[in-house]
Amino acid sequence: MEPGETPEACFKREVLEEAYAEGICTLLGHITVDHGDCPNWTESSRYPKIGYQVFYHMDVTRLHPFEAEFESTRRILIDPNEMQRYYKGWNPVHKQILEDSLKVGDMQKSNNYLIRGETHDIG
């Protein structure tokens, strides 16, 4: 997060920078990440000793042309059920977060831009 930036504003900025997408966010929740028992953590570590990860669902309302100006080199649309194939660190916590996000999308009866990797009209 940038100084003075809210978690939601950070999420929206990151999605715009990495996926060239914009949309409406719904807070799913957060987890506490405590490195207190990690013998490799030091004061000079990249992350704080105790931090938080905040999770959002986004209903994509606008997909901009992908220009690869930031950290991402490409954008692909995938079936959420295939997520573990694309993320080597996939674990049960990630699975639950994705399931919760998809439930929010279903409840909002929104256009989920990742379903089956199809391009939907979200205009």
Side-chain angles (χ1 to χ4, degrees), residues 8-38:
E8 183 175 334
C10 176
F11 175 75
K12 287 180 175 182
R13 177 180 53 77
E14 289 289 335
V15 169
L16 184 59
E17 289 176 359
E18 303 303 324
Y20 290 82
E22 295 180 85
I24 300 165
C25 296
T26 302
L27 177 65
L28 297 174
H30 73 278
I31 60 173
T32 301
V33 180
D34 187 344
H35 295 100
D37 293 331
C38 180

mmCIF file of all heavy atoms in Angstrom, residues 8-38:
data_model
loop_
_atom_site.group_PDB
_atom_site.id
_atom_site.type_symbol
_atom_site.label_atom_id
_atom_site.label_comp_id
_atom_site.label_asym_id
_atom_site.label_seq_id
_atom_site.Cartn_x
_atom_site.Cartn_y
_atom_site.Cartn_z
ATOM 1 N N GLU A 8 -8.899 -0.769 0.035
ATOM 2 C CA GLU A 8 -9.710 -0.864 -1.177
ATOM 3 C C GLU A 8 -9.100 -0.073 -2.325
ATOM 4 O O GLU A 8 -9.040 -0.552 -3.460
ATOM 5 C CB GLU A 8 -11.139 -0.393 -0.927
ATOM 6 C CG GLU A 8 -12.016 -0.555 -2.157
ATOM 7 C CD GLU A 8 -13.473 -0.214 -1.922
ATOM 8 O OE1 GLU A 8 -13.948 -0.320 -0.776
ATOM 9 O OE2 GLU A 8 -14.143 0.156 -2.898
ATOM 10 N N ALA A 9 -8.597 1.121 -2.043
ATOM 11 C CA ALA A 9 -7.958 1.923 -3.092
ATOM 12 C C ALA A 9 -6.705 1.218 -3.603
ATOM 13 O O ALA A 9 -6.426 1.232 -4.812
ATOM 14 C CB ALA A 9 -7.615 3.311 -2.565
ATOM 15 N N CYS A 10 -5.962 0.572 -2.711
ATOM 16 C CA CYS A 10 -4.775 -0.187 -3.113
ATOM 17 C C CYS A 10 -5.163 -1.338 -4.025
ATOM 18 O O CYS A 10 -4.530 -1.560 -5.067
ATOM 19 C CB CYS A 10 -4.057 -0.704 -1.870
ATOM 20 S SG CYS A 10 -2.630 -1.747 -2.224
ATOM 21 N N PHE A 11 -6.210 -2.070 -3.652
ATOM 22 C CA PHE A 11 -6.678 -3.186 -4.470
ATOM 23 C C PHE A 11 -7.076 -2.706 -5.866
ATOM 24 O O PHE A 11 -6.658 -3.278 -6.868
ATOM 25 C CB PHE A 11 -7.858 -3.873 -3.775
ATOM 26 C CG PHE A 11 -8.486 -4.958 -4.592
ATOM 27 C CD1 PHE A 11 -7.869 -6.189 -4.736
ATOM 28 C CD2 PHE A 11 -9.694 -4.750 -5.228
ATOM 29 C CE1 PHE A 11 -8.445 -7.200 -5.496
ATOM 30 C CE2 PHE A 11 -10.288 -5.749 -5.989
ATOM 31 C CZ PHE A 11 -9.656 -6.977 -6.129
ATOM 32 N N LYS A 12 -7.853 -1.641 -5.918
ATOM 33 C CA LYS A 12 -8.296 -1.118 -7.216
ATOM 34 C C LYS A 12 -7.114 -0.670 -8.067
ATOM 35 O O LYS A 12 -7.079 -0.907 -9.278
ATOM 36 C CB LYS A 12 -9.273 0.037 -7.009
ATOM 37 C CG LYS A 12 -10.629 -0.405 -6.528
ATOM 38 C CD LYS A 12 -11.567 0.783 -6.345
ATOM 39 C CE LYS A 12 -12.958 0.343 -5.992
ATOM 40 N NZ LYS A 12 -13.884 1.474 -5.861
ATOM 41 N N ARG A 13 -6.130 -0.023 -7.435
ATOM 42 C CA ARG A 13 -4.944 0.430 -8.170
ATOM 43 C C ARG A 13 -4.162 -0.770 -8.711
ATOM 44 O O ARG A 13 -3.743 -0.787 -9.875
ATOM 45 C CB ARG A 13 -4.047 1.283 -7.268
ATOM 46 C CG ARG A 13 -2.755 1.727 -7.939
ATOM 47 C CD ARG A 13 -1.878 2.581 -7.013
ATOM 48 N NE ARG A 13 -1.615 1.961 -5.736
ATOM 49 C CZ ARG A 13 -0.737 0.973 -5.519
ATOM 50 N NH1 ARG A 13 -0.046 0.469 -6.541
ATOM 51 N NH2 ARG A 13 -0.542 0.486 -4.306
ATOM 52 N N GLU A 14 -3.976 -1.773 -7.868
ATOM 53 C CA GLU A 14 -3.233 -2.960 -8.297
ATOM 54 C C GLU A 14 -3.940 -3.689 -9.445
ATOM 55 O O GLU A 14 -3.292 -4.143 -10.392
ATOM 56 C CB GLU A 14 -3.008 -3.911 -7.120
ATOM 57 C CG GLU A 14 -2.002 -3.403 -6.103
ATOM 58 C CD GLU A 14 -0.571 -3.408 -6.610
ATOM 59 O OE1 GLU A 14 -0.245 -4.200 -7.519
ATOM 60 O OE2 GLU A 14 0.237 -2.617 -6.088
ATOM 61 N N VAL A 15 -5.259 -3.813 -9.369
ATOM 62 C CA VAL A 15 -6.010 -4.459 -10.454
ATOM 63 C C VAL A 15 -5.868 -3.655 -11.742
ATOM 64 O O VAL A 15 -5.661 -4.216 -12.815
ATOM 65 C CB VAL A 15 -7.494 -4.643 -10.071
ATOM 66 C CG1 VAL A 15 -8.330 -5.065 -11.277
ATOM 67 C CG2 VAL A 15 -7.637 -5.643 -8.941
ATOM 68 N N LEU A 16 -5.938 -2.347 -11.632
ATOM 69 C CA LEU A 16 -5.784 -1.511 -12.824
ATOM 70 C C LEU A 16 -4.374 -1.644 -13.400
ATOM 71 O O LEU A 16 -4.201 -1.789 -14.611
ATOM 72 C CB LEU A 16 -6.095 -0.048 -12.488
ATOM 73 C CG LEU A 16 -6.069 0.928 -13.654
ATOM 74 C CD1 LEU A 16 -7.067 0.542 -14.740
ATOM 75 C CD2 LEU A 16 -6.351 2.343 -13.157
ATOM 76 N N GLU A 17 -3.349 -1.639 -12.539
ATOM 77 C CA GLU A 17 -1.972 -1.735 -13.013
ATOM 78 C C GLU A 17 -1.644 -3.117 -13.575
ATOM 79 O O GLU A 17 -0.930 -3.229 -14.567
ATOM 80 C CB GLU A 17 -0.992 -1.427 -11.873
ATOM 81 C CG GLU A 17 -0.973 0.021 -11.458
ATOM 82 C CD GLU A 17 -0.059 0.283 -10.266
ATOM 83 O OE1 GLU A 17 0.555 -0.676 -9.734
ATOM 84 O OE2 GLU A 17 0.039 1.451 -9.853
ATOM 85 N N GLU A 18 -2.127 -4.169 -12.934
ATOM 86 C CA GLU A 18 -1.735 -5.524 -13.320
ATOM 87 C C GLU A 18 -2.648 -6.151 -14.367
ATOM 88 O O GLU A 18 -2.190 -6.921 -15.212
ATOM 89 C CB GLU A 18 -1.681 -6.433 -12.092
ATOM 90 C CG GLU A 18 -0.751 -5.943 -10.997
ATOM 91 C CD GLU A 18 0.681 -5.726 -11.450
ATOM 92 O OE1 GLU A 18 1.173 -6.506 -12.300
ATOM 93 O OE2 GLU A 18 1.317 -4.777 -10.970
ATOM 94 N N ALA A 19 -3.948 -5.867 -14.302
ATOM 95 C CA ALA A 19 -4.900 -6.505 -15.219
ATOM 96 C C ALA A 19 -5.558 -5.514 -16.163
ATOM 97 O O ALA A 19 -6.313 -5.922 -17.044
ATOM 98 C CB ALA A 19 -5.978 -7.240 -14.425
ATOM 99 N N TYR A 20 -5.302 -4.227 -15.973
ATOM 100 C CA TYR A 20 -5.944 -3.193 -16.784
ATOM 101 C C TYR A 20 -7.464 -3.343 -16.732
ATOM 102 O O TYR A 20 -8.141 -3.307 -17.752
ATOM 103 C CB TYR A 20 -5.423 -3.204 -18.222
ATOM 104 C CG TYR A 20 -3.989 -2.731 -18.315
ATOM 105 C CD1 TYR A 20 -2.933 -3.588 -18.042
ATOM 106 C CD2 TYR A 20 -3.698 -1.417 -18.634
ATOM 107 C CE1 TYR A 20 -1.623 -3.149 -18.101
ATOM 108 C CE2 TYR A 20 -2.387 -0.971 -18.700
ATOM 109 C CZ TYR A 20 -1.354 -1.844 -18.426
ATOM 110 O OH TYR A 20 -0.051 -1.401 -18.481
ATOM 111 N N ALA A 21 -7.961 -3.520 -15.516
ATOM 112 C CA ALA A 21 -9.397 -3.689 -15.306
ATOM 113 C C ALA A 21 -9.854 -2.786 -14.172
ATOM 114 O O ALA A 21 -9.077 -2.406 -13.305
ATOM 115 C CB ALA A 21 -9.704 -5.151 -14.961
ATOM 116 N N GLU A 22 -11.145 -2.440 -14.211
ATOM 117 C CA GLU A 22 -11.773 -1.655 -13.152
ATOM 118 C C GLU A 22 -13.091 -2.314 -12.797
ATOM 119 O O GLU A 22 -13.673 -3.040 -13.610
ATOM 120 C CB GLU A 22 -12.039 -0.224 -13.625
ATOM 121 C CG GLU A 22 -10.774 0.562 -13.924
ATOM 122 C CD GLU A 22 -11.098 1.969 -14.397
ATOM 123 O OE1 GLU A 22 -11.295 2.833 -13.525
ATOM 124 O OE2 GLU A 22 -11.167 2.165 -15.626
ATOM 125 N N GLY A 23 -13.569 -2.032 -11.592
ATOM 126 C CA GLY A 23 -14.835 -2.609 -11.205
ATOM 127 C C GLY A 23 -15.273 -2.211 -9.815
ATOM 128 O O GLY A 23 -14.680 -1.347 -9.176
ATOM 129 N N ILE A 24 -16.319 -2.883 -9.369
ATOM 130 C CA ILE A 24 -16.925 -2.619 -8.069
ATOM 131 C C ILE A 24 -16.423 -3.672 -7.083
ATOM 132 O O ILE A 24 -16.495 -4.872 -7.357
ATOM 133 C CB ILE A 24 -18.456 -2.671 -8.173
ATOM 134 C CG1 ILE A 24 -18.926 -1.609 -9.173
ATOM 135 C CG2 ILE A 24 -19.109 -2.479 -6.818
ATOM 136 C CD1 ILE A 24 -20.352 -1.791 -9.634
ATOM 137 N N CYS A 25 -15.908 -3.218 -5.938
ATOM 138 C CA CYS A 25 -15.298 -4.108 -4.954
ATOM 139 C C CYS A 25 -16.253 -4.437 -3.816
ATOM 140 O O CYS A 25 -17.031 -3.591 -3.378
ATOM 141 C CB CYS A 25 -14.074 -3.458 -4.334
ATOM 142 S SG CYS A 25 -12.770 -3.151 -5.498
ATOM 143 N N THR A 26 -16.142 -5.676 -3.335
ATOM 144 C CA THR A 26 -16.829 -6.120 -2.134
ATOM 145 C C THR A 26 -15.779 -6.733 -1.215
ATOM 146 O O THR A 26 -15.040 -7.636 -1.629
ATOM 147 C CB THR A 26 -17.896 -7.183 -2.465
ATOM 148 O OG1 THR A 26 -18.827 -6.623 -3.387
ATOM 149 C CG2 THR A 26 -18.628 -7.635 -1.218
ATOM 150 N N LEU A 27 -15.710 -6.254 0.009
ATOM 151 C CA LEU A 27 -14.762 -6.778 0.989
ATOM 152 C C LEU A 27 -15.166 -8.192 1.379
ATOM 153 O O LEU A 27 -16.315 -8.441 1.755
ATOM 154 C CB LEU A 27 -14.727 -5.884 2.226
ATOM 155 C CG LEU A 27 -13.838 -6.353 3.365
ATOM 156 C CD1 LEU A 27 -12.373 -6.345 2.957
ATOM 157 C CD2 LEU A 27 -14.063 -5.468 4.596
ATOM 158 N N LEU A 28 -14.226 -9.135 1.286
ATOM 159 C CA LEU A 28 -14.466 -10.507 1.714
ATOM 160 C C LEU A 28 -14.000 -10.718 3.153
ATOM 161 O O LEU A 28 -14.623 -11.440 3.915
ATOM 162 C CB LEU A 28 -13.734 -11.495 0.805
ATOM 163 C CG LEU A 28 -14.159 -11.534 -0.652
ATOM 164 C CD1 LEU A 28 -13.234 -12.447 -1.437
ATOM 165 C CD2 LEU A 28 -15.605 -11.987 -0.772
ATOM 166 N N GLY A 29 -12.881 -10.117 3.508
ATOM 167 C CA GLY A 29 -12.327 -10.280 4.848
ATOM 168 C C GLY A 29 -10.828 -10.089 4.826
ATOM 169 O O GLY A 29 -10.258 -9.626 3.844
ATOM 170 N N HIS A 30 -10.199 -10.450 5.936
ATOM 171 C CA HIS A 30 -8.743 -10.325 6.022
ATOM 172 C C HIS A 30 -8.182 -11.432 6.908
ATOM 173 O O HIS A 30 -8.928 -12.072 7.664
ATOM 174 C CB HIS A 30 -8.344 -8.957 6.580
ATOM 175 C CG HIS A 30 -8.597 -8.818 8.046
ATOM 176 N ND1 HIS A 30 -9.839 -8.508 8.556
ATOM 177 C CD2 HIS A 30 -7.784 -8.994 9.112
ATOM 178 C CE1 HIS A 30 -9.773 -8.468 9.873
ATOM 179 N NE2 HIS A 30 -8.539 -8.765 10.238
ATOM 180 N N ILE A 31 -6.876 -11.653 6.779
ATOM 181 C CA ILE A 31 -6.172 -12.561 7.674
ATOM 182 C C ILE A 31 -4.965 -11.824 8.243
ATOM 183 O O ILE A 31 -4.436 -10.895 7.628
ATOM 184 C CB ILE A 31 -5.727 -13.861 6.969
ATOM 185 C CG1 ILE A 31 -4.780 -13.583 5.798
ATOM 186 C CG2 ILE A 31 -6.929 -14.684 6.530
ATOM 187 C CD1 ILE A 31 -4.181 -14.842 5.176
ATOM 188 N N THR A 32 -4.568 -12.233 9.438
ATOM 189 C CA THR A 32 -3.364 -11.701 10.061
ATOM 190 C C THR A 32 -2.202 -12.608 9.688
ATOM 191 O O THR A 32 -2.308 -13.829 9.775
ATOM 192 C CB THR A 32 -3.527 -11.669 11.600
ATOM 193 O OG1 THR A 32 -4.660 -10.856 11.923
ATOM 194 C CG2 THR A 32 -2.292 -11.096 12.265
ATOM 195 N N VAL A 33 -1.122 -12.000 9.253
ATOM 196 C CA VAL A 33 0.090 -12.747 8.905
ATOM 197 C C VAL A 33 1.140 -12.392 9.953
ATOM 198 O O VAL A 33 1.604 -11.263 10.009
ATOM 199 C CB VAL A 33 0.585 -12.396 7.485
ATOM 200 C CG1 VAL A 33 1.846 -13.184 7.149
ATOM 201 C CG2 VAL A 33 -0.516 -12.637 6.463
ATOM 202 N N ASP A 34 1.465 -13.356 10.802
ATOM 203 C CA ASP A 34 2.394 -13.146 11.915
ATOM 204 C C ASP A 34 3.670 -13.932 11.650
ATOM 205 O O ASP A 34 3.657 -15.163 11.627
ATOM 206 C CB ASP A 34 1.739 -13.609 13.222
ATOM 207 C CG ASP A 34 2.568 -13.282 14.442
ATOM 208 O OD1 ASP A 34 3.771 -12.980 14.303
ATOM 209 O OD2 ASP A 34 2.003 -13.339 15.550
ATOM 210 N N HIS A 35 4.762 -13.208 11.438
ATOM 211 C CA HIS A 35 6.062 -13.829 11.187
ATOM 212 C C HIS A 35 6.854 -14.022 12.481
ATOM 213 O O HIS A 35 8.049 -14.315 12.453
ATOM 214 C CB HIS A 35 6.877 -12.979 10.207
ATOM 215 C CG HIS A 35 6.285 -12.906 8.848
ATOM 216 N ND1 HIS A 35 5.541 -11.826 8.430
ATOM 217 C CD2 HIS A 35 6.295 -13.776 7.811
ATOM 218 C CE1 HIS A 35 5.131 -12.032 7.189
ATOM 219 N NE2 HIS A 35 5.573 -13.211 6.795
ATOM 220 N N GLY A 36 6.180 -13.870 13.624
ATOM 221 C CA GLY A 36 6.855 -13.955 14.919
ATOM 222 C C GLY A 36 7.575 -15.267 15.162
ATOM 223 O O GLY A 36 8.610 -15.296 15.832
ATOM 224 N N ASP A 37 7.074 -16.371 14.627
ATOM 225 C CA ASP A 37 7.701 -17.680 14.813
ATOM 226 C C ASP A 37 8.617 -18.073 13.661
ATOM 227 O O ASP A 37 9.160 -19.177 13.654
ATOM 228 C CB ASP A 37 6.622 -18.756 14.980
ATOM 229 C CG ASP A 37 5.840 -18.594 16.268
ATOM 230 O OD1 ASP A 37 6.407 -18.076 17.252
ATOM 231 O OD2 ASP A 37 4.655 -18.968 16.280
ATOM 232 N N CYS A 38 8.784 -17.191 12.704
ATOM 233 C CA CYS A 38 9.611 -17.498 11.531
ATOM 234 C C CYS A 38 11.078 -17.163 11.838
ATOM 235 O O CYS A 38 11.427 -15.993 12.030
ATOM 236 C CB CYS A 38 9.134 -16.692 10.317
ATOM 237 S SG CYS A 38 10.109 -17.009 8.839
#
